[in-house]
Amino acid sequence: MQRHGYGGTPALRHRYRLAGCVLLAAHLVVVGWLAVRPLTAPWVSAAHLEPFATLRADLALGPWEAARTIASAVLPFAPLGVLLPWAGGRVVASPLGSLARTVFTSAMIALVLQVVRGGVVGQVLDLDALLLNVAGVVLAHVAVVPAVRARLRRRSSAVPPPPASTPSTGLAPVARRARVGVAP
């Protein structure tokens, strides 16, 4: 049987997953609130549906302003790269499969927030923001998750599994017999 949880007791593994789910939900609430709050602006530009158009405009403003605006699109979603696998609770998982699941899930969340944002006063739909959100998730996932999973696997393999405890009834253990089917 293959175990897909963290090392330790089942209760401890359940607590890790529960903590991951709670942190994920809290993070999504904060990011959602920040994304859909109305902004007061004297004017609002049209939706940016051409890829990299906003990035080119940001880079034209100068390096510091570009770094600030790009970081403001990358950083809010970056924790999802760690929180989504943590909430999943798998230690033994394919790195590429985990990355694909995390990127797909975060891209769908970012897409929903961008669509909702398009209907809020002062906010516009921006394809580059969607791409930068997903890039932040990828960077966080690649930087943190494989190393943490490797450490957890090493830690769980170093600790021997607890012996199977059987209730003591005072009787001698009974050997199980193999069942043999009857020939037709």
Side-chain angles (χ1 to χ4, degrees), residues 3-161:
R3 293 182 1 193
H4 290 288
Y6 299 106
T9 64
L12 185 62
R13 289 192 303 264
H14 179 69
R15 286 184 190 148
Y16 282 144
R17 287 188 73 182
L18 183 63
C21 290
V22 167
L23 288 173
L24 177 64
H27 179 72
L28 288 175
V29 166
V30 169
V31 168
W33 177 77
L34 289 173
V36 298
R37 67 184 177 168
L39 298 178
T40 57
W43 59 274
V44 177
S45 61
H48 303 286
L49 299 177
E50 180 186 338
F52 307 116
T54 308
L55 290 175
R56 283 192 293 271
D58 289 341
L59 291 173
L61 295 174
W64 295 110
E65 186 65 24
R68 187 187 67 77
T69 56
I70 290 172
S72 69
V74 169
L75 293 179
F77 271 72
L80 289 179
V82 177
L83 292 174
L84 285 170
W86 185 5
R90 294 182 182 166
V91 173
V92 180
S94 165
L96 189 59
S98 174
L99 180 64
R101 281 189 301 272
T102 303
V103 167
F104 178 76
T105 305
S106 63
M108 292 299 109
I109 293 170
L111 180 63
V112 166
L113 282 177
Q114 283 294 322
V115 169
V116 170
R117 176 184 275 178
V120 176
V121 176
Q123 300 275 6
V124 294
L125 182 68
D126 189 5
L127 182 62
D128 290 340
L130 176 72
L131 294 174
L132 289 172
N133 290 337
V134 174
V137 170
V138 170
L139 290 174
H141 184 85
V142 168
V144 175
V145 173
V148 170
R149 281 186 174 158
R151 183 174 177 215
L152 288 171
R153 281 192 303 266
R154 279 194 307 269
R155 191 173 70 182
S156 68
S157 67
V159 176

